[in-house]
Amino acid sequence: GLLAAAAGDAKLCLMWLGIALVGDGVDGTLARRVSVKQVLPGIDGSALDLVIDYLTYVVVPAVFMHRFGLLPEGLISIALAAWILLTALYCFANVGMKSGDNYFVGFPAIWNVVALYFWLLDLSPWFNAAVVVVLGLLTFTTVKFLHPFRVKALMPLNIAVTTVWLLCCIALVVIWPARPGWLFGLWLATSVYYAAVCAWRTLRGP
């Protein structure tokens, strides 16, 4: 992903991040299925997972945003990339990162997804900058964010919507800059569903 970004190939970088996202969705389940803790008791799989996630969810996306002009140019872009890296450190180190029902507490540093939205929506770099600042601040709040593969409530529906969202993302990246209305609308609809579930769980309280 980093090499693709450095080479100026945004599509390839996003495809690598997509592969990493899918891998992260199933790695925990696979690890538990084959009893990694018992087979390799000297290895902390959670620490390894956090290292990999910080690279693919934070470092590569921050470089992506800076490299492809998704943020205001110059020192502002660098400062915003640094803001992404620093706020994500709190997210990954926070022992209260998840609620009892497996929602993320505070923005879960999914900057790979944010980078994808910035690229596909093609909005003003200054608007993107404001979003980056706000999301970074949300890291330190108790706003709830859905983990579609861990939250038990509505899990089949959540996974189905996430699958549709992922397929739409792949299609939009592959055919970009083409943006068929039906495909773009379906992608936005799945995004609204996710936002609605997060808002509902946040407003519901403990």
Side-chain angles (χ1 to χ4, degrees), residues 163-181:
T163 301
V164 173
W165 174 84
L166 183 61
L167 292 174
C168 289
C169 289
I170 294 171
L172 287 169
V173 169
V174 170
I175 67 175
W176 186 89
R179 201 162 61 177

Side-chain angles (χ1 to χ4, degrees), residues 21 24-25 27 49-50 53-54 57 88 90-113 135 138-152 158 162 194-195 197-205:
L21 181 64
D24 182 55
D27 61 355
D49 183 64
L50 290 177
D53 285 353
Y54 188 77
Y57 277 62
Y90 172 80
C91 173
F92 279 81
N94 180 14
V95 295
M97 182 183 185
K98 288 181 182 174
S99 64
D101 53 356
N102 286 321
Y103 280 82
F104 290 108
V105 178
F107 178 65
I110 47 174
W111 293 106
N112 49 350
V113 175
L135 290 178
L138 285 179
T139 303
F140 307 101
T141 69
T142 57
V143 173
K144 304 300 188 299
F145 287 81
L146 173 67
H147 189 315
F149 298 103
R150 297 296 298 275
V151 172
K152 292 183 178 180
N158 293 336
T162 300
Y194 181 89
V197 171
C198 296
W200 167 79
R201 178 61 184 84
T202 299
L203 294 174
R204 198 186 74 183

Side-chain angles (χ1 to χ4, degrees), residues 10 23 76 183:
I76 295 177
L183 180 61

Side-chain angles (χ1 to χ4, degrees), residues 100-136:
D101 53 356
N102 286 321
Y103 280 82
F104 290 108
V105 178
F107 178 65
I110 47 174
W111 293 106
N112 49 350
V113 175
V114 176
L116 172 69
Y117 274 79
F118 285 172
W119 191 71
L120 289 177
L121 294 174
D122 194 24
L123 302 172
S124 162
W126 286 103
F127 180 86
N128 294 346
V131 172
V132 166
V133 171
V134 170
L135 290 178

Side-chain angles (χ1 to χ4, degrees), residues 20-39:
L21 181 64
V22 172
D24 182 55
V26 299
D27 61 355
T29 300
L30 294 176
R32 287 185 287 274
R33 183 69 58 85
V34 297
S35 304
V36 169
K37 281 189 176 182
Q38 286 71 42
V39 177

